[in-house]
Amino acid sequence: MAAVAAWSDRGRPRDARASAASIGLWVFMGVATALFSLFIVAYVMRMSGDDSMTIALPWQLWLSSALLVAGSVALQGAGGASRGSDAMRTRRLLLAGGLCAAGFLSVQLWAWQALLSAQVMPAGNPAGSFFYLLTAMHGLHLAGGLVGWAWTAHAAWPDPARAAWRIALCARYWHFMLAVWLVLFALLGWVTPEVARFVCGTS
Amino acid sequence: MIMAVALLLIVLGSVLFHVFNPWWTTPLASNWQPMDDTLTITLVITGIFFVVINLFVAYMLVRFRHREGHRAAHEPENRKLERWLIGGTTVGIMALLAPGLVVYANYVREPRDALVLEVLGQQWQWRFRFPGPDGKLGATDARFVSATNPFGIDPGDPAGQDDLLIPGDEVHLPLGKPVLVLMRSNDVLHDFFVPPFRARMNMVPGQVSRFWFTSTVAGRYEALCAQLCGVGHPNMRGYVVVEDPASYQAWYAALPSFAKSQAKAPEAPAAPGGPAGGGARVEQGRALADAKGCVACHTVDGSPRVGPTWKGLHGKTETMADGSTALVDEAYLRSFIRDPQARHVKGFPPVMPKIEMTDEELAALVAYIQSLGSPPAQAAAEQKAAR
Amino acid sequence: MNSSSPTGQAMSHADDAGHPAPQSFLTRYVWSQDHKVIAVQYACTAIAVGVVGVVLSNLMRLQLGFPGQFDFINAERYYQFVTMHGMIMVIYLLTALFLGGFGNYLIPLMVGARDMVFPYLNMLSFWVYLLSVVVLMASFFVPGGPTGAGWTLYPPQSILPGTPGHAGGIVLMLVSLLIFIVATTMGGLNYVTTVLQARCEGMTLLRMPLTVWGIFVATILALLGFPALFVSGVMLLLDRTLGTSFFMPALVSMGQVTGYKGGSPLLFQHLFWFFGHPEVYIVALPAFGIVSDLISVHARKCIFGYRMMVWAIVAIGALSVVVWAHHMFVSGMNPYFGFFFATTTLIIAVPTAIKVYNWILTLWRGDIHLTVPMLFALAFLCTFLIGGLTGLFLGNVSVDIPLSGTYFVVAHFHMVMGVAPLLVVFGGIYHWFPKVTGRMLDDRLGRLHFWITFLGTYAVFFPMHYLGVLGMPRRYYNFDGYKFIPPSAFSLNEVITVIAMIIALAQLLFIVNLAWSAWRGRPADANPWRAASLEWQTPTTPPGYGNWGPRLPVVYRWAYAYGEPGAAEDFIAQNAPPQAGAGEPEPEGQSEVRGAPA
C-alpha cells in the first residue's frame, strides 16, 4: 500500500486528488443523508401506529455521545495541527479521534446489552426494532469511517503535514457521523408515538 | 429505405390490428362508463401522436437520406419552435389529465346510500359478508380467526352478531343499486377485480380499503385476484351475480348470520366403525387440523374450498388431473400429507404446502379425517348395496 | 509512459491515471484499475446474467403459450422464473450495463480524463457487483429455491408460506440487493466525481456529450434512490429473520396466527417505489443520452436544442422522485394521493416529449446514414414512443384503475424499459465497438440481428396491450376456466411465445458477432463514424493506459460540431484547434480557450 501511495502521489498534483476526494466524500455524505432520512421517515410512519410504545433509552447512550463529540473535537484539532508544524501533536490527536470512535462503538454495544437484559428485543415492539436497526446502521457507517481513518493514519504517520487533506476529510466525516447520531438520538428519545401521530396527522 | 418502409408497415399494421383485433374491454356492467370514455380519449390523442410521428420519421428517412455531395443543415436550435412544441404538448397533456381527474374525483366520493359489502381475501379464496339489519359490520381481528370463525369477527361486539356470512364463493347483488365494497385481508395483499365492473382495489392486511360501483347489467361475473398472493393466486376465483331485486331478496333472506354460525355444533362427531379407542386420537387430530392450518383450505362440512372437503373424503375414489383414479384410504392420506406435490387432484390447484409433523401427529390427523368419511370396507359395501 | 512532469504548459487536473500501469496478465485483465477494463468486465457479466434472464423469460413464455404442456414448469417454478427474470433484467443487467458498462468506459474518454478519479474503488465496485450476482444465483440452489414473490418483493407475501422461496430464497435475494447497492454506490461516487472534477481543459459541463449528461444524472438518481431500496430491503430482511414487524400487520397465514403485528405493507410499497420509479429513469436517462449521440453522429447533424436536452434530462431526473405512487394507485393508499401523483406523472411527460421532438428535429434536414447503430436508434424512437404513450394511460389515475395489474402494464414496461433501452444498448455497442477493440462488428450479422430483434419485440409486446385492456391479469400461471377470456387470447399467447423464442435465438447472432469480431473483425480506423466527440480522438485505438498519451487533450467546442457551414469536413473534432471553427450555438461571451473547467 505504501508503494501505491508513493506512486500515486508522484505526478498528480496533490490538490487535484484532494479536491476529488473531497467531492467524493460530499457525494457519499449525500447518499448517507438520503439513507438516514428515509430511515427517519419510516420510523415516524411506523411509530404513528397503534402498537408503538416508547422505550427508556439506556444511560450508556449519553456516554457514547460524549465519546463521539470528543472524537470530533480531537480530529478537528488534528486537522488544525497538521497544517502547522507540530507532527507529534497531530499524531496524538489523530489517534485520539480514532480511539474515541472505537470507544463509541463499544459503548453502543454495551447499550445493546443493557437493553437486551431489560427484555427489549428487536422483535415485538417497533421502538425496540428501530433502536437496534438505527444504531446498527449508524454503527456500520462509523465502522466504515474507521477503515478510512486507519488508512489515513497509516498515510499520515510519517509526515502528517503532507496528508493534511486526508485528516481534514476524516474530521469532516466524523462531524457528519456526530450530526447523524445526534439526530437519531433525538429521534429515538423524543419522537414518541404521540409526536409521530401528530406529524402523520393521525392523532 | 427499408427502415422507412418498415415504419410505414408498423404504423399500418398497428392501426389495422387495433381496428380488427377481437380484444378490447369486456362489456361494461357498471356505472363507470367515464373510465372507458377517458380511455378512449387517451387512445385517440396518443394514437394521433403515434401515427403522425412515425410517418414523419419515415418521410425524413427518405427525404434526408445520405446522398453524395449533400451535407446536413446546421440548425442547433430554434427557440420559437421549441416554445410552440412545449406549449402544444402541455395542452395535450392537460386534455388527457382533466377528464381523468374528474372521473377520479367521482371515484373517491362514495354515495351515501350504498349497499355495504365486505370482501375478505385469504390465500386463496374469497369470503363475503353483509352488515345485516343493524347496518354495521362487526369488528374483526386476526386473533379471532379460526376454523369456525374464518372472518375473525369479535364475538364480543354486538354489531357483529347479525352480520350475514355468505357461504361459498358466490355473492349476489341487486341490479342498479350502488355498492360500497369494503375490503379486508387475513393474510397477504389481494385485489378483488371484476373486469366488467372496472372499479377495484387492493386489500391490505391490517387495514380496510374501499371502492364503489353501481351495477347496470345483470349477469354472473367472474371475480379474480389481481395482486400476486402466492402460488394459488391464479386459482383465487369468486363470482358476483347481479340480479333483479326480487331474486336478490330471496337469496339474501336465506343467508346465515354470524350468531347462528357460532351456535351450530362446530364439528362432526367420529363416525361409527372408527378404530377402537380412537376417540382421543381423533380429538388430537381435530386440534392439529386447527393448529397446523389445514382448515384454511379444507372444510369438514362438504363444501370444497382451495382443497377438497374432508367430509366423505376417506373411502372415496379420487380422480387425478391426468385422469387416473385412486382410492382414498389410510395409505393415500398418509402419503399425500407427507408429499403433497406428488399428486395433483383434478379440479384443485396443486398448492398444498408440505407441513412438518411427527408420525404420531400424522396418525392422529389421518384418524380425524377417517372419522369424517367412511372406511373403505363400508364404502364398498354401500356401493354394492346401491347396485 | 506516464510523465510526472508535463512539459511547460499549465498542469491540468487529473494528469495521471491514479494507478500504476499494469505489469502482469492479472493486473491488466483481472485486478485492473483501468476504467476500460472494468467497463468490459461489467458488460460481460451483465450480458451473461442477461442471457439467464432471457432463458427465464422463455421458460415463462412456454407456460403462457402452451399451458400445462411442460410438467417441470409448475406454479412454484413459474413464479420463481417471473421474479428472477424481472430482478435480473432491471437491476443486474440494465442498471449495471448502463452505469457500470457504458458509464465506466465512456465517461473518462468523453470528458478527457485519464481514468476515473478513484480507480481502486472502481475496481472494487466491479468485484462487489460480481459478488452480488453470485449471491443472487446461489438462491437457485437453496432449499425452496429462489423467491417467487415478483420482482417487487411485496410483503407480507414475500416472507410467508404460500410464496415460493419464502425461507431461503428471499433472504439471498435481499442480501444480494444490499451488496449490489454497495457496488453501485462505489461506482456512482466515481462517475459523479469524475464528471465534476476531472474534465480536461476547455470541457465545460455544457460541452459534454449528452451520453455523459444522461449517465451523470442517472448516477445522481441512483445514489439518492438506491438508499430507499436499501432501507426497505433491510427492514424486510429483519421482518423475515428476526420477526420484527416493520411491514407485517397482525395476520393469519395458512391457518396459523403469526406473531407479527402493527406493521404496514404500504410502507414497504412507498419505500420500494420511491426507489423504483427513479430506477426506471436510471435505465432510461443513459439510453436517452446515448441515442442522442447515435442520431447526431449518424445523421451528421448537431443535436437539435442541446441545452433544452440537458434541461430535459435534469428535469426528468428531478421530477422522477415525485411520481412514485403512480405504481400504487390501486394499492389501498390514501385515495387523495391519486390526484397528486397523476398530475406529476403527466407533467413528466412534457420534458420527455421535448426529447422526442428534438431527436426528430435532429433528423430533419440531416444527412442520414442508415448504419446499424442508426437503425437501432430509429427503432428506439419507434418503441420508446409507444412505450411512453402507453404510460399516459397508466399515469392517468382513473384510466389506470381497470388496467393496473393486467397485461397492459406488462406490455408498457417491457416496451419502455425492456425493448427501447435494450435497442440502445445494442446500438451503442455497435457504435463504440470499434473504439473498444479496434475492429468493426460484422455489418450483415448486425442488420439481421437488428431486424429480428426490432420487428420481433414489437410483434411480441404491441398485441399484449390489448390483452390487458380485455382485463387479462398479469402474474397468472394459467387462465383455466375464465370465461371472459376468449380462446383467441390463448392463440395469441402461443404466437407471442414462438416469436419470443425466435428473438431469443437471434441474440446468439449478436453474441457470436461480438466474440468473432473482437478476434477477427475487420480492422477499424480510429474514427470510423467520423464523430466529433472526444472519445474518438484518442491517439491510439483501442485507447491505451492513460487514454491520451503524454498530454491531455484541450477542448475548444461542443461535441456536436457537424455540418459546419464553410468547414472542410462535415464534422469538427472537439479538440481540433480553434481555427477549425467554433461550432457552438451560443458563444459564452468569453475566450474560447479556457484556463480551467467551469
Side-chain angles (χ1 to χ4, degrees):
Chain A
M1 189 153 79
V4 172
W7 170 268
S8 307
D9 277 346
R10 201 192 343 142
R12 192 181 320 180
R14 222 166 297 138
D15 29 284
R17 288 188 69 223
S19 52
S22 172
I23 292 184
L25 183 61
W26 282 119
V27 174
F28 180 72
M29 283 160 59
V31 177
T33 304
L35 184 77
F36 285 107
S37 304
L38 287 161
F39 272 123
I40 291 169
V41 167
Y43 175 86
V44 174
M45 284 181 68
R46 181 67 179 86
M47 287 300 278
S48 65
D50 291 330
D51 66 328
S52 40
M53 299 170 330
T54 16
I55 54 173
L57 293 180
W59 64 266
Q60 287 86 345
L61 295 186
W62 293 100
L63 174 59
S64 61
S65 304
L67 278 170
L68 206 55
V69 171
S72 268
V73 168
L75 274 178
Q76 185 67 19
S82 66
R83 280 185 284 278
S85 53
D86 193 342
M88 253 341 273
R89 184 149 182 273
T90 310
R91 289 191 194 100
R92 270 199 300 257
L93 286 171
L94 188 56
L95 195 57
L99 289 177
C100 283
F104 171 86
L105 289 177
S106 318
V107 176
Q108 292 287 81
L109 286 172
W110 186 12
W112 277 27
Q113 204 197 33
L115 261 188
L116 284 171
S117 54
Q119 297 304 316
V120 178
M121 300 298 171
N125 173 8
S129 310
F130 270 106
F131 177 85
Y132 292 107
L133 175 62
L134 294 175
T135 49
M137 284 293 123
H138 176 264
L140 283 172
H141 281 80
L142 192 61
L146 275 172
V147 171
W149 170 87
W151 189 322
T152 297
H154 178 101
W157 208 257
D159 182 1
R162 258 193 0 146
W165 61 273
R166 294 181 190 271
I167 299 173
L169 289 181
C170 266
R172 193 200 300 165
Y173 191 68
W174 252 235
H175 301 333
F176 174 61
M177 283 285 100
L178 174 64
V180 170
W181 170 245
L182 292 176
V183 171
L184 292 179
F185 194 7
L187 189 78
L188 292 168
W190 287 284
V191 178
T192 58
E194 291 74 37
V195 175
R197 283 175 203 134
F198 176 72
V199 169
C200 292
T202 55
S203 45
Chain B
M1 182 54 68
I2 309 185
M3 188 60 181
V5 172
L7 285 178
L8 281 173
L9 287 177
I10 282 182
V11 171
L12 191 62
S14 305
V15 171
L16 288 176
F17 185 95
H18 177 82
V19 170
F20 290 110
N21 84 84
W23 310 293
W24 196 238
T25 49
T26 50
L28 183 66
S30 80
N31 62 316
W32 292 110
Q33 178 70 40
M35 280 185 195
D36 285 2
D37 293 339
T38 315
L39 176 70
T40 307
I41 296 175
T42 310
L43 178 73
V44 168
I45 295 183
T46 55
I48 293 176
F49 270 81
F50 173 73
V51 169
V52 167
I53 291 181
N54 272 315
L55 289 183
F56 187 51
V57 172
Y59 164 72
M60 288 194 294
L61 290 182
V62 175
R63 173 85 173 75
F64 301 113
R65 69 193 182 283
H66 170 65
R67 282 153 288 163
E68 279 316 311
H70 177 83
R71 206 182 260 199
H74 184 69
E75 250 178 340
E77 62 183 357
N78 182 336
R79 288 287 173 85
K80 204 167 107 165
L81 177 61
E82 300 230 45
R83 272 194 288 265
W84 273 102
L85 286 171
I86 297 177
T89 308
T90 310
V91 168
I93 294 291
M94 293 198 319
L96 290 180
L97 187 61
L101 290 185
V102 166
V103 176
Y104 190 63
N106 207 5
Y107 192 69
V108 301
R109 211 178 330 135
E110 294 144 8
R112 291 277 188 85
D113 58 338
L115 168 70
V116 172
L117 164 70
E118 179 188 81
V119 179
L120 173 67
Q122 177 182 315
Q123 283 167 319
W124 289 284
Q125 51 200 302
W126 301 107
R127 290 201 164 87
F128 306 99
R129 173 164 73 127
F130 284 117
D134 69 348
K136 286 196 332 171
L137 286 169
T140 56
D141 192 276
R143 65 180 186 278
F144 298 118
V145 173
S146 73
T148 50
N149 186 1
F151 286 83
I153 300 174
D154 180 355
D157 182 4
Q161 293 299 311
D162 65 346
D163 289 354
L164 299 170
L165 312 179
I166 286 88
D169 53 11
E170 180 181 287
V171 67
H172 292 224
L173 291 173
L175 176 64
K177 196 157 171 9
V179 178
L180 174 63
V181 182
L182 298 178
M183 324 227 289
R184 286 193 303 119
S185 165
N186 271 345
D187 45 22
V188 300
L189 301 170
H190 299 279
D191 187 314
F192 187 70
F193 183 34
V194 181
F197 295 159
R198 306 289 188 263
R200 43 77 88 98
M201 186 64 67
N202 275 13
M203 46 257 274
V204 183
Q207 69 178 67
V208 179
S209 50
R210 48 219 281 154
F211 70 91
W212 76 275
F213 71 99
T214 306
S215 54
T216 52
V217 178
R220 185 168 188 264
Y221 303 107
E222 294 163 308
L224 16 101
C225 180
Q227 177 65 253
L228 178 61
C229 55
V231 288
H233 172 61
N235 297 103
M236 195 164 157
R237 325 172 172 220
Y239 297 93
V240 180
V241 173
V242 174
E243 54 194 358
D244 61 281
S247 320
Y248 168 74
Q249 271 308 115
W251 170 87
Y252 183 87
L255 293 176
S257 72
F258 174 60
K260 267 212 217 86
S261 77
Q262 297 304 291
K264 256 198 315 222
E267 292 305 326
R281 197 129 65 107
V282 167
E283 253 326 288
Q284 186 194 7
R286 185 163 78 78
L288 280 169
D290 250 325
K292 297 280 182 192
C294 318
V295 294
C297 300
H298 297 279
T299 65
V300 296
D301 62 12
S303 58
R305 279 268 168 187
V306 184
T309 183
W310 284 349
K311 179 168 177 186
L313 178 62
H314 180 252
K316 186 174 159 209
T317 303
E318 195 73 280
T319 316
M320 302 297 134
D322 60 7
S324 62
T325 58
L327 178 64
V328 180
D329 56 7
E330 204 183 301
Y332 174 99
L333 288 173
R334 280 177 185 275
S335 72
F336 209 112
I337 293 175
R338 278 289 183 225
D339 187 5
Q341 295 300 318
R343 277 189 258 231
H344 179 181
V345 177
K346 188 180 170 82
F348 294 98
V351 296
M352 178 165 156
K354 195 187 295 207
I355 307 223
E356 294 301 318
M357 61 184 81
T358 64
D359 289 333
E360 200 206 304
E361 289 172 327
L362 179 63
L365 200 50
V366 168
Y368 174 55
I369 299 173
Q370 276 178 300
S371 74
L372 298 168
S374 42
Q378 188 164 348
E382 282 166 359
Q383 279 181 337
K384 267 214 208 118
R387 279 194 217 109
Chain C
M1 188 159 35
N2 183 33
S3 73
S4 52
S5 49
T7 51
Q9 67 182 46
M11 183 87 89
S12 314
H13 288 215
D15 199 24
D16 76 46
H19 58 90
Q23 305 295 344
S24 67
F25 177 84
L26 278 183
T27 50
R28 191 187 297 273
Y29 295 115
V30 181
W31 310 113
S32 172
Q33 296 183 46
D34 187 325
H35 71 101
K36 303 185 289 294
V37 174
I38 296 171
V40 170
Q41 290 174 320
Y42 261 104
C44 290
T45 309
I47 291 177
V49 103
V51 167
V52 173
V54 169
V55 168
L56 290 171
S57 75
N58 278 13
L59 289 171
M60 288 160 57
R61 282 296 341 163
L62 278 180
Q63 166 61 23
L64 287 170
F66 306 99
Q69 305 275 28
F70 298 93
D71 280 336
F72 73 97
I73 309 180
N74 56 28
E76 273 204 3
R77 293 215 181 95
Y78 178 77
Y79 287 116
Q80 291 170 322
F81 297 158
V82 166
T83 306
M84 295 299 275
H85 163 76
M87 194 65 85
I88 284 175
M89 294 309 216
V90 173
I91 306 276
Y92 298 87
L93 171 65
L94 287 172
T95 308
L97 187 54
F98 274 120
L99 296 188
F102 284 97
N104 255 316
Y105 196 88
L106 294 173
I107 290 179
L109 287 171
M110 284 182 162
V111 303
R114 293 201 180 281
D115 205 308
M116 292 285 183
V117 289
F118 309 123
Y120 190 73
L121 197 64
N122 207 15
M123 175 182 77
L124 278 184
S125 87
F126 167 70
W127 292 102
V128 175
Y129 162 63
L130 187 63
L131 175 65
S132 75
V133 170
V134 166
V135 172
L136 183 73
M137 293 299 142
S139 72
F140 278 106
F141 301 104
V142 293
T147 174
W151 92 280
T152 45
L153 306 178
Y154 281 178
Q157 38 264 62
S158 53
I159 62 174
L160 288 177
T163 296
H166 69 275
I170 184 75
V171 171
L172 284 179
M173 166 71 84
L174 291 171
V175 170
S176 168
L177 287 173
L178 299 179
I179 298 175
F180 180 88
I181 294 171
V182 172
T184 307
T185 305
M186 290 175 167
L189 288 178
N190 260 305
Y191 316 148
V192 166
T193 311
T194 303
V195 168
L196 291 177
Q197 185 64 13
R199 282 168 284 127
C200 66
E201 197 181 315
M203 180 64 80
T204 63
L205 285 175
L206 287 177
R207 280 177 174 173
M208 299 193 307
L210 287 167
T211 298
V212 179
W213 273 108
I215 300 177
F216 176 60
V217 177
T219 305
I220 295 177
L221 280 182
L223 289 172
L224 298 177
F226 272 104
L229 182 63
F230 194 93
V231 169
S232 54
V234 165
M235 286 159 67
L236 187 59
L237 194 57
L238 291 183
D239 278 0
R240 163 68 187 81
T241 53
L242 292 185
T244 51
S245 297
F246 292 113
F247 304 125
M248 306 295 281
L251 54 91
V252 180
S253 170
M254 297 293 164
Q256 326 242 16
V257 181
T258 63
Y260 298 114
K261 69 177 175 35
S264 168
L266 283 181
L267 178 58
F268 179 88
Q269 292 185 37
H270 280 293
L271 287 168
F272 181 86
W273 287 114
F274 188 76
F275 148 74
H277 194 82
E279 164 63 16
V280 316
Y281 289 105
I282 291 167
V283 169
L285 289 177
F288 292 167
I290 291 173
V291 90
S292 298
D293 285 357
L294 294 184
I295 292 181
S296 186
V297 171
H298 294 272
R300 316 305 299 153
K301 186 159 176 277
C302 61
I303 194 77
F304 182 88
Y306 170 80
R307 275 173 184 249
M308 196 58 86
M309 291 295 246
V310 172
W311 282 118
I313 288 179
V314 173
I316 292 171
L319 283 169
S320 74
V321 295
V322 290
V323 300
W324 79 88
H326 67 228
H327 300 269
M328 294 170 63
F329 282 145
V330 295
S331 66
M333 68 176 180
N334 183 333
Y336 290 94
F337 290 174
F339 292 104
F340 175 77
F341 286 101
T343 307
T344 52
T345 303
L346 261 60
I347 289 178
I348 210 175
V350 176
T352 316
I354 291 174
K355 295 195 76 68
V356 173
Y357 302 146
N358 284 14
W359 289 319
I360 291 170
L361 288 169
T362 306
L363 290 170
W364 175 256
R365 302 217 284 152
D367 178 24
I368 302 172
H369 297 246
L370 286 175
T371 55
V372 174
M374 177 56 112
L375 288 176
F376 275 106
L378 295 170
F380 165 84
L381 275 184
C382 176
T383 52
F384 181 74
L385 181 64
I386 193 166
L389 290 174
T390 54
L392 293 175
F393 289 74
L394 296 171
N396 207 350
V397 49
S398 47
V399 180
D400 179 68
I401 289 169
L403 294 178
S404 183
T406 66
Y407 270 97
F408 193 93
V409 179
V410 177
H412 161 72
F413 68 67
H414 276 96
M415 265 302 188
V416 80
M417 265 198 68
V419 177
L422 208 60
L423 292 172
V424 174
V425 164
F426 290 138
I429 292 179
Y430 283 98
H431 181 76
W432 279 296
F433 190 84
K435 171 73 6 186
V436 178
T437 60
R439 297 178 181 275
M440 303 295 285
L441 278 169
D442 184 272
D443 196 72
R444 274 197 326 208
L445 266 184
R447 283 171 197 274
L448 187 59
H449 172 231
F450 167 73
W451 285 111
I452 300 178
T453 305
F454 172 43
L455 296 178
T457 48
Y458 194 89
V460 162
F461 293 110
F462 180 75
M464 211 182 265
H465 292 93
Y466 293 85
L467 295 180
V469 176
L470 175 66
M472 226 164 141
R474 63 184 285 209
R475 293 172 166 173
Y476 261 51
Y477 167 68
N478 63 19
F479 298 92
D480 290 348
Y482 280 109
K483 299 201 176 52
F484 79 97
I485 300 178
S488 54
F490 297 102
S491 312
L492 177 64
N493 263 333
E494 275 183 33
V495 171
I496 289 179
T497 295
V498 171
I499 300 178
M501 310 205 75
I502 295 175
I503 299 173
L505 281 175
Q507 305 318 303
L508 287 175
L509 291 173
F510 176 67
I511 304 222
V512 163
N513 198 353
L514 273 183
W516 191 87
S517 303
W519 186 43
R520 295 286 291 266
R522 175 167 59 89
D525 51 352
N527 192 354
W529 311 116
R530 304 175 67 246
S533 47
L534 196 56
E535 81 274 19
W536 294 101
Q537 322 305 336
T538 52
T540 56
T541 297
Y545 167 77
N547 293 342
W548 302 104
R551 300 244 282 269
L552 282 176
V554 179
V555 156
Y556 300 98
R557 61 190 61 75
W558 65 335
Y560 299 101
Y562 297 102
E564 272 302 302
E569 307 238 9
D570 73 344
F571 80 102
I572 308 171
Q574 264 192 293
N575 58 342
Q579 301 86 301
E584 268 168 332
E586 265 169 275
E588 305 285 323
Q590 299 168 19
S591 159
E592 277 162 348
V593 178
R594 293 168 194 279

